Structures are given as C-alpha cells and as structure tokens.
Amino acid sequence: MSLTDTAKRAVGLLDLTSLNATDTEETIQALCTKAVTPAGPVAAICIYGPFVALANGLLDQRIGLATVVNFPEGTQDRKTIETDIIAALHAGADEIDLVFPWQAFLSGKRTLARDIVAAARAVCPTGVILKVILETGSLASPTAIREASEAAILSGADFLKTSTGKTAVGATLEAARIMLSVIHDMDPEVGFKASGGVRTVEDAAAYLAVADEIMGPDWATPETFRFGASSLLDDLLKTLGHGSTSAEPSRASY
C-alpha cells in the first residue's frame, strides 16, 4: 500500500487528542474544528473530562467524543472512576479511555485490576465504547502485556490501547503484535488503539501492516482500530497534499 493510500485510510481511524495541562476552551474549540479535515472527519477526539460538555456542543455528530479516566497513573479507586465515568457520560462522552491498573496488576493484585475494568464496563451503557489503556511500556515484558490484554478483554474492554502517551515508552510494534494476537485468539470484535509516539504516516503504515497481517486486511475500521495522536493528522494531510492544518492544539503525541 502506498503512503498516500495509508494516509487516506488512517484519517478516519484517528482519535485526535489534546490532553495537556495547558488546554483551554480555545484549544478545545480549535480541536473540534480540526477534527473535520479536508480528507474527511476523524473517528473521534479525546480530551479531558472538564471540556467534554463544551466539545459536545461543538463537535460534528459524525465524530466520537472520548475522555480519559483513571488517568494517567491508573491508581484511582473504584468509586472515583465510576463517578468520573458517569459525569463524562452525562456531559456527552460516548467513548471512555480507562487506564488499566497496571501497577496493581504487576504487584500481584490482579483481581483488583480486573474488578476496576469490570466496574467501568458496568457503568458504561450499551453503545459506549470502553478503551482500556494497558500502559505497555511500563508492563514491559511480553508475558505481562499478554496477560493484561487477556484480563482486560475478560473484564469487558471494547478496545485495547497501548499507552497514555505520558510515559517514556509509548506504543511499540512489539506490544501491538502481542495485543492483536490476543484479540485474534479471544475476540476479534475487540478493537486495538496505538497511542503514544505515533507521529508519521510511516508509523501509521507500520501499525496497520501488523493489524492486516494478524487480523486480515478488512478488519481495521473505525469500529476496531484507532490511532491516538495529535501531530499525526498534520503528516497525513501533508501526504495527501493538503498541507498542515492551521490549528494545532498540541504537539505531544498521545
């Protein structure tokens, strides 16, 4: 597949993201505008909870509205997570990106980690997408990534997501291969999201190639595959001959 074809394919798979301490109403307004691109709409935007109501009033209805919970450390208690999800849903979110309690999981508290995901699933009604952020760079070992992937799926995840983008190691092709293999073996309807360091059309091509290899060439759609990023969109549009966008809410890839 050419880079142009990859760029066309990837625009509609993008969760355009701004998760910065410096976010303002103005940057979120710019993000909502940027989400409708000359090459078509992105799949979703992903923002902090306090901005969800604002974005809900501005965002093109073709585009999903995601927010993060238990973010970024993955150490909040169950009640706080449930409360944050309910508030986000009331404000208009239809996708929840939950950080897996990876620290608890690594310390042996695996039932606790699974229970957090299950609790999040329980407060998300039918139609709300639950993406579970595994923080694979911190899980580190192939065994831990595989076991966390299995635990998240068994607990109700709709998507497995690589990382928060807030740690030293974000998405890697090695982690993606493990996660997609688990999805293939357990439930091909579960999606995959590459997030953290995905910045170029070449990066996007590499992850799509792995997905096509493991899951088949027709599997990766907005319902099953996402890129979580901010700067990636500019490179995709440049590849398609549209130049860079004028509004850039964030340079940090997520």
Side-chain angles (χ1 to χ4, degrees):
M1 181 180 294
S2 70
L3 290 182
T4 298
D5 287 340
T6 295
K8 290 178 182 177
R9 185 181 183 191
V11 168
L13 303 176
L14 181 61
D15 284 3
L16 186 61
T17 299
S18 192
L19 293 168
N20 305 294
T22 55
D23 285 340
T24 64
E25 291 188 356
E26 289 73 24
T27 61
I28 299 305
Q29 290 168 353
L31 191 79
C32 291
T33 299
K34 186 176 178 179
V36 181
T37 85
V42 301
I45 66 167
C46 187
I47 56 177
Y48 281 128
F51 297 108
V52 167
L54 170 67
N56 187 46
L58 298 172
L59 196 63
D60 186 296
Q61 293 302 301
R62 295 171 293 174
I63 298 170
L65 178 50
T67 192
V68 291
V69 295
N70 202 25
F71 187 91
E73 293 88 359
T75 56
Q76 291 180 332
D77 63 87
R78 174 175 172 169
K79 183 177 180 180
T80 298
I81 293 167
E82 291 172 334
T83 299
D84 287 348
I85 292 174
I86 291 168
L89 297 177
H90 284 168
D94 49 25
E95 302 187 6
I96 300 295
D97 287 28
L98 167 79
V99 179
F100 185 72
W102 60 269
Q103 297 178 67
F105 192 79
L106 287 178
S107 71
K109 298 177 181 178
R110 299 199 166 190
T111 299
L112 170 64
R114 290 193 297 268
D115 286 349
I116 289 291
V117 177
R121 175 74 273 166
V123 296
C124 288
T126 301
V128 172
I129 295 172
L130 177 64
K131 309 189 198 92
V132 177
I133 309 170
L134 298 183
E135 204 67 283
T136 54
S138 297
L139 288 172
S141 77
T143 297
I145 294 169
R146 176 173 293 278
E147 291 177 350
S149 297
E150 293 169 348
I153 291 174
L154 289 171
S155 301
D158 295 310
F159 268 73
L160 301 182
K161 178 175 169 180
T162 54
S163 69
T164 60
K166 301 296 186 182
T167 57
V169 179
T172 67
L173 291 171
E174 293 77 12
R177 184 172 291 277
I178 295 167
M179 296 162 71
L180 284 162
S181 294
V182 172
I183 290 169
H184 177 274
D185 293 345
M186 292 186 67
D187 186 352
E189 293 187 2
V190 171
F192 168 80
K193 180 173 174 179
S195 182
V198 184
R199 296 183 175 89
T200 68
V201 65
E202 290 86 359
D203 293 336
Y207 284 97
L208 283 169
V210 173
D212 289 348
E213 174 194 340
I214 295 173
M215 303 300 299
D218 299 322
W219 179 81
T221 69
E223 288 71 41
T224 55
F225 190 101
R226 302 283 182 88
F227 293 109
S230 56
S231 57
L232 174 61
L233 179 58
D234 288 320
D235 199 53
L236 298 178
L237 294 179
K238 181 179 178 181
T239 301
L240 294 172
H242 298 296
S244 63
T245 55
S246 59
E248 278 194 77
S250 170
R251 285 272 181 192
S253 180
Y254 170 65

